[in-house]
Amino acid sequence: MITTERIYIIGGTGNVGTVVVKELLKKNIPVTLFARSPAKVQTLFGTNPNVSVVQGDVHDLKPFEKSIAGHTRLFLLVSDFENLVKLNLAIAKKAYAAGIQQIVHLSSISVHFPWRTSFIGEINRDSEQGILAIPHRGTYVSLRPYRFMSNVMWLDFHSIKELNRIVDVVDPDELQEWSSPNDIGGVAATIFQDPIEKHGDAAYEMVSDVVSSKDRADRLTKALGRTIVYKQLTPQEQYDILVNRFAFSHPLAYHMVCQPQVTDKVTPGLSLLLGRAPETLEQWLEANKTPLL
């Protein structure tokens, strides 16, 4: 049975959150977006009567506290890595206290990494454990993707557009896990349409495709109609790019350089949650290739 509840969305204008909102609106499920820019919300979703906007920022939760009452479900996506744990816990505590019965939270598969070996793993593990420890809370579902396919439009954009290459530190044939924003958002939207008790305190891993860097270059070549090659960098070369070009902090850059392989398989249960096959990297590139042409 499709819910008629209004879903509260934090992080609804990025690659994943946009999918969550659009999938809910397709089912005429009303949403409240907590966003810095109402103009951006209107650009993304038009003047849909099922969209309400609360202007605000996660670093000042007063507008959130005033607007969360009356909602029963919350999508939580915070992108401030330096303050991630503090913000996730503050939002979750206020949400549960206001009557939220279910939080669906974008975490990371890196919570599985050995203790204190991964910056992203540690902050997401601390967030999950902290939320689960909140007294008298509602249910808590964590979504655990790995590398976002949309990183191609960020970390790889310049090298593809200007140099016709992608770069990384791994061997050309080493497999890497990729997660589709469409799959992540699709699962979140499905959970919000299911009865709250169905998913309880579930944690869902979300690997949509597994390909090597060489195969990734081949898929880009096919999508763009020109040859894209893979260049293997030294750890220092990749670290310098992340710090100097993208202004990554040391912990984040170190994590990105040292990401280990977690699995060589697509998450088996992902198709069960989606009701379809997971999106492949090839499919995602074909659908989003225009800026790279």
Side-chain angles (χ1 to χ4, degrees):
M1 183 175 68
I2 295 177
T3 181
T4 57
E5 302 167 273
R6 178 175 290 276
I7 312 298
Y8 204 104
I9 309 286
I10 294 180
T13 60
N15 292 312
V16 173
T18 299
V19 177
V20 179
V21 173
K22 288 182 176 179
E23 289 299 314
L24 293 173
L25 292 178
K26 286 179 185 178
K27 302 294 185 177
N28 291 316
I29 298 173
V31 297
T32 298
L33 273 79
F34 187 70
R36 289 188 297 270
S37 172
K40 183 176 182 181
V41 173
Q42 184 168 1
T43 297
L44 289 170
F45 308 114
T47 55
N48 193 309
N50 281 327
V51 176
S52 297
V53 183
V54 175
Q55 186 170 11
D57 185 279
V58 292
H59 298 95
D60 178 6
L61 293 177
K62 291 178 183 177
F64 170 73
E65 291 182 83
K66 293 178 180 178
S67 58
I68 187 62
H71 298 79
T72 55
R73 307 198 199 202
L74 167 70
F75 178 72
L76 177 57
L77 191 170
V78 173
S79 55
D80 179 354
F81 291 147
E82 302 301 323
N83 298 289
L84 191 77
V85 179
K86 179 178 70 174
L87 292 171
N88 280 333
L89 294 187
I91 293 168
K93 288 176 181 177
K94 294 179 186 299
Y96 286 133
I100 286 291
Q101 299 173 26
Q102 180 189 62
I103 292 177
V104 178
H105 168 228
L106 186 64
S107 182
S108 169
I109 204 171
S110 58
V111 297
H112 292 305
F113 295 175
W115 186 57
R116 300 189 65 228
T117 61
S118 160
F119 171 64
I120 297 297
E122 183 177 359
I123 60 177
N124 279 288
R125 185 187 299 113
D126 288 349
S127 292
E128 289 198 17
Q129 290 176 338
I131 294 174
L132 287 168
I134 295 173
H136 313 297
R137 60 173 176 81
T139 62
Y140 170 63
V141 180
S142 59
L143 307 182
R144 296 175 173 175
Y146 205 171
R147 297 173 186 84
F148 293 98
M149 293 179 183
S150 50
N151 285 355
V152 172
M153 297 301 178
W154 174 36
L155 298 176
D156 293 322
F157 183 84
H158 171 77
S159 60
I160 294 172
K161 191 77 172 177
E162 305 297 332
L163 304 173
N164 290 319
R165 73 185 187 194
I166 55 175
V167 299
D168 207 331
V169 299
V170 298
D171 292 335
D173 294 319
E174 180 178 328
L175 294 175
Q176 292 182 312
E177 307 88 336
W178 291 89
S179 299
S180 161
N182 294 319
D183 290 351
I184 304 166
V187 167
T190 295
I191 293 170
F192 285 133
Q193 295 171 64
D194 287 336
I196 289 174
E197 60 272 16
K198 176 176 179 177
H199 298 278
D201 287 341
Y204 294 125
E205 295 181 1
M206 309 191 72
V207 175
S208 303
D209 200 2
V210 181
V211 299
S212 69
S213 293
K214 179 180 178 297
D215 288 339
R216 185 158 60 101
D218 290 343
R219 284 160 172 73
L220 280 161
T221 295
K222 179 179 179 181
L224 302 180
R226 66 180 192 274
T227 300
I228 306 296
V229 300
Y230 172 64
K231 180 180 180 181
Q232 185 176 2
L233 302 181
T234 67
Q236 186 66 59
E237 288 171 331
Q238 180 75 331
Y239 177 90
D240 289 343
I241 289 173
L242 295 173
V243 170
N244 297 326
R245 180 178 299 166
F246 295 102
F248 279 23
S249 66
H250 166 73
L252 182 56
Y254 188 88
H255 165 87
M256 296 293 288
V257 170
C258 299
Q259 293 181 92
Q261 181 181 342
V262 174
T263 180
D264 60 358
K265 295 180 176 63
V266 172
T267 302
L270 191 49
S271 60
L272 298 177
L273 296 169
L274 288 166
R276 59 167 173 80
E279 185 175 36
T280 66
L281 181 61
E282 183 173 358
Q283 290 170 331
W284 190 91
L285 290 171
E286 182 62 32
N288 295 276
K289 66 183 179 181
T290 300
L292 297 170
L293 293 173

